Amino acid sequence: MPMSREEIEEFLEEAVGRDAADILLPDGFERAFIGAALDPPRAIFSIELCIKGLTEQGMSQEDAEEYFWFNVAGSHMGENTPLFIYTLT
């Protein structure tokens, strides 16, 4: 079951501690959250689940991939930017 944004924030506070407040979370990708990195503190998201979420919102596969790579993964905002990884399925 996907976590809510509040549950993700609570998880990050427990896992990372006081640095959790610095972690950036992309809006609308809670279902793709899979964990945390510690140094630097970052949220980790599944690339496949991010793209799947976009297609479920009505985007074509091609549009979802382009949107994800340009607007989500491509929006680097410092060392606390989320980490997007390919996952084993």
Side-chain angles (χ1 to χ4, degrees):
M1 181 162 199
M3 297 173 78
S4 69
R5 186 174 188 93
E6 293 77 24
E7 290 171 323
I8 292 170
E9 290 171 349
E10 287 175 18
F11 170 83
L12 292 171
E13 287 174 12
E14 290 177 19
V16 177
R18 61 185 170 90
D19 292 331
D22 296 332
I23 295 175
L24 302 173
L25 298 172
D27 292 328
F29 291 96
E30 291 80 11
R31 182 176 165 191
F33 176 78
I34 58 172
L38 301 177
D39 190 23
R42 299 166 78 178
I44 303 173
F45 292 84
S46 163
I47 293 168
E48 296 90 349
L49 292 176
C50 287
I51 293 172
K52 181 178 180 183
L54 292 169
T55 61
E56 289 174 352
Q57 293 175 21
M59 289 186 185
S60 69
Q61 181 72 26
E62 183 179 337
D63 287 345
E65 289 175 7
E66 182 177 329
Y67 180 88
F68 171 76
W69 288 111
F70 184 76
N71 296 298
V72 182
S75 61
H76 184 75
M77 298 172 60
E79 71 175 6
N80 300 113
T81 298
L83 180 61
F84 297 96
I85 65 170
Y86 286 106
T87 54
L88 296 173
T89 53

